[in-house]
Amino acid sequence: MLVMSGTSFVQYLLSFGPMLNLLSLFALVPILALPIKLGNYAQEVQHIIKEKVQHTGHLYMVSSGISYFLSSFMNLAALPMTYYSIRPSMDLFIIKHKERFLSRSITHGFSMPLLWTPVTPIVGIVIEMTGVSWGGMLPILIPLSILGLLLDWLTGYFLSKRKDLTQHRELDQAQQEMAASTEGATQPARPKKLIHIIAAILLLNVVITFSEVFFEFSFLFLVTLLVIPFSFLWSMFIKKGKQFLYGLKDHFNTHLLKMKDQFFIFLSAGFFISAVNLSGVDQTVNTWIIHVVDITGIKLFLVLLPFIPLLLAFIGLHPAVALALIAEALDPSVLNISPQILTVAMLGGAVPAFLMGPYNATLGIMSNIINESPYKISNWNFVFTGSYLLLLTVFILTLQYIL
């Protein structure tokens, strides 16, 4: 495309640029996990489960809720954190397929905050592409996210009544001894410490919202800029400042090297997006989309839009890349579509891709944790994904009458 458009050699090099801010976010967001690890918050989660959870339906809701809670702040780091916090307590319950139980609850809960949390690249891409205000979208995106979580709790509670699960908490003598030895080996838990994470999530979102209003920086740049100082101040608050600095050094020495595959993928995607824009192909794609909208109508088009990232996920295209390409081809003013509704349709469409796309990092990490195929995990998420898409369709149609 660049050759045919007669682009200069310098522009070839500059064409790798569009994804650099996204890669910076990828590189720095995991730093938010450091104060959570240093504060031993996972121990508090285990304590709550042992003391408060009475049956498998309740356990599912707790597992999904914790995953949602951590995902809104830690992104991909929430998956192993939730799993290793809850897995030791699974032996307190009679559950035939423990890994399937945990995989469903964790991935479902993890995916819901991806609609709005500022630490996920998906949100940054769509917000910048559609030109809407992140703070202005929160009153729409957070309710959709919570509805999705409630839907997961309902489906999870229903599945917990099937034959392979039991709602009765039964411990044999060996399990009781194991639980006793575990409690004896750990320090007394303080569940109130979990309030730290709630306060940190609220504070981070408030700071980003006000920064977006008072400073004319891009959304992705603001989030990237705040990650390190925010994490450091939190670590200082729990008196782990020195340990944070060691962890930060280790992060830059080891984590960035592990990201080389993502660097290649997203830099290449950025090059492709630049080629589409510079060659004028984006105008051609926009013309095609306008014809599709004319045929289907705006309402049906917005209903079908969330299925596009899901379909592309099955051919190996990461949801963030898919949405970047889609956003480049969609101009709300030309298509006569509300940018707010378009934002909801695009972000809402990313969730099924994370739930079922066998090649994305979500299922890849979960696969490594539980030693199961990503395809099997994808199949486990099929029922909930279908239910969520139905919820999203109703939500989008309702928005068209409100906005």
Side-chain angles (χ1 to χ4, degrees):
M1 287 187 286
L2 290 179
V3 170
M4 295 298 291
S5 62
T7 304
S8 66
F9 175 76
V10 174
Q11 195 61 51
Y12 279 78
L13 298 178
L14 297 178
S15 293
F16 287 98
M19 288 292 182
L20 289 177
N21 53 356
L22 183 61
L23 289 174
S24 299
L25 187 66
F26 264 131
L28 296 181
V29 160
I31 294 173
L32 289 169
L34 286 177
I36 294 181
K37 293 176 181 178
L38 294 173
N40 292 321
Y41 293 101
Q43 181 179 313
E44 322 308 329
V45 172
Q46 293 179 23
H47 176 83
I48 292 174
I49 292 174
K50 289 176 182 177
E51 295 296 323
K52 305 295 183 182
V53 177
Q54 299 299 320
H55 55 79
T56 54
H58 193 190
L59 177 64
Y60 184 95
M61 295 169 66
V62 170
S63 176
S64 175
I66 291 174
S67 183
Y68 180 99
F69 181 58
L70 295 179
S71 173
S72 62
F73 192 76
M74 300 170 62
N75 201 252
L76 289 172
L79 294 171
M81 181 69 73
T82 306
Y83 179 86
Y84 292 114
S85 297
I86 295 177
R87 185 60 182 86
S89 303
M90 292 291 290
D91 293 329
L92 305 177
F93 300 84
I94 299 177
I95 300 176
K96 185 176 181 181
H97 300 292
K98 291 182 173 64
E99 303 304 327
R100 182 174 68 180
F101 181 96
L102 274 178
S103 174
R104 282 173 173 166
S105 61
I106 292 174
T107 54
H108 297 178
F110 167 83
S111 298
M112 290 302 105
L114 302 183
L115 287 162
W116 62 268
T117 177
V119 301
T120 178
I122 291 289
V123 173
I125 288 175
V126 176
I127 292 296
E128 291 206 340
M129 293 293 184
T130 58
V132 297
S133 166
W134 175 73
M137 288 300 301
L138 288 181
I140 300 174
L141 295 174
I142 291 181
L144 175 59
S145 175
I146 294 174
L147 285 174
L149 180 64
L150 294 176
L151 177 64
D152 176 46
W153 286 358
L154 287 175
T155 55
Y157 196 89
F158 171 76
L159 290 173
S160 71
K161 293 182 179 180
R162 296 177 62 177
K163 292 181 180 180
D164 59 336
L165 300 177
T166 177
Q167 293 186 11
H168 301 289
R169 187 183 186 186
E170 299 179 7
L171 287 171
D172 58 21
Q173 186 63 32
Q175 289 173 323
Q176 291 179 6
E177 291 175 358
M178 181 192 70
S181 63
T182 301
E183 290 182 359
T186 58
Q187 298 176 354
R190 292 175 295 168
K192 291 183 179 179
K193 280 183 62 178
L194 294 179
I195 297 176
H196 294 177
I197 307 180
I198 299 175
I201 292 172
L202 292 175
L203 181 60
L204 178 62
N205 284 280
V206 168
V207 170
I208 293 174
T209 301
F210 278 96
S211 298
E212 191 181 33
V213 172
F214 292 107
F215 300 101
E216 297 192 3
F217 294 122
S218 72
F219 175 78
L220 286 173
F221 180 76
L222 283 174
V223 178
T224 304
L225 193 66
L226 291 170
V227 165
I228 293 179
F230 187 87
S231 301
F232 177 66
L233 290 175
W234 186 0
S235 299
M236 291 288 290
F237 175 76
I238 60 175
K239 300 178 180 179
K240 299 288 183 180
K242 192 172 184 180
Q243 292 89 328
F244 173 83
L245 295 177
Y246 287 123
L248 185 66
K249 181 180 178 181
D250 180 68
H251 172 82
F252 283 108
N253 288 337
T254 61
H255 178 74
L256 294 184
L257 293 176
K258 296 178 181 178
M259 288 186 61
K260 59 183 182 297
D261 292 337
Q262 293 186 51
F263 282 177
F264 285 126
I265 290 172
F266 285 97
L267 285 175
S268 299
F271 188 88
F272 181 75
I273 292 170
S274 296
V276 169
N277 289 333
L278 292 171
S279 63
V281 173
D282 58 333
Q283 299 175 7
T284 303
V285 175
N286 259 322
T287 302
W288 293 345
I289 293 177
I290 291 173
H291 288 317
V292 173
V293 173
D294 290 337
I295 296 172
T296 63
I298 293 178
K299 291 183 179 179
L300 181 57
F301 174 76
L302 289 173
V303 168
L304 295 175
L305 181 58
F307 290 88
I308 297 177
L310 176 60
L311 295 175
L312 294 177
F314 279 93
I315 63 172
L317 203 59
H318 190 281
V321 180
L323 285 179
L325 298 178
I326 294 170
E328 284 292 332
L330 294 176
D331 187 339
S333 60
V334 174
L335 298 175
N336 196 27
I337 299 175
S338 165
Q340 288 81 13
I341 298 178
L342 181 62
T343 301
V344 172
M346 294 179 68
L347 287 175
V351 171
F354 283 110
L355 285 169
M356 292 194 65
Y359 307 111
N360 66 65
T362 303
L363 297 196
I365 290 176
M366 205 68 217
S367 173
N368 291 333
I369 292 174
I370 67 174
N371 295 318
E372 292 285 359
S373 165
Y375 294 98
K376 181 177 287 188
I377 298 175
S378 176
N379 289 335
W380 290 343
N381 290 339
F382 177 78
V383 173
F384 174 71
T385 302
S387 302
Y388 166 79
L389 282 170
L390 180 60
L391 169 67
L392 179 62
T393 299
V394 173
F395 193 85
I396 291 174
L397 291 175
T398 303
L399 279 180
Q400 294 184 58
Y401 289 101
I402 298 175
L403 297 179

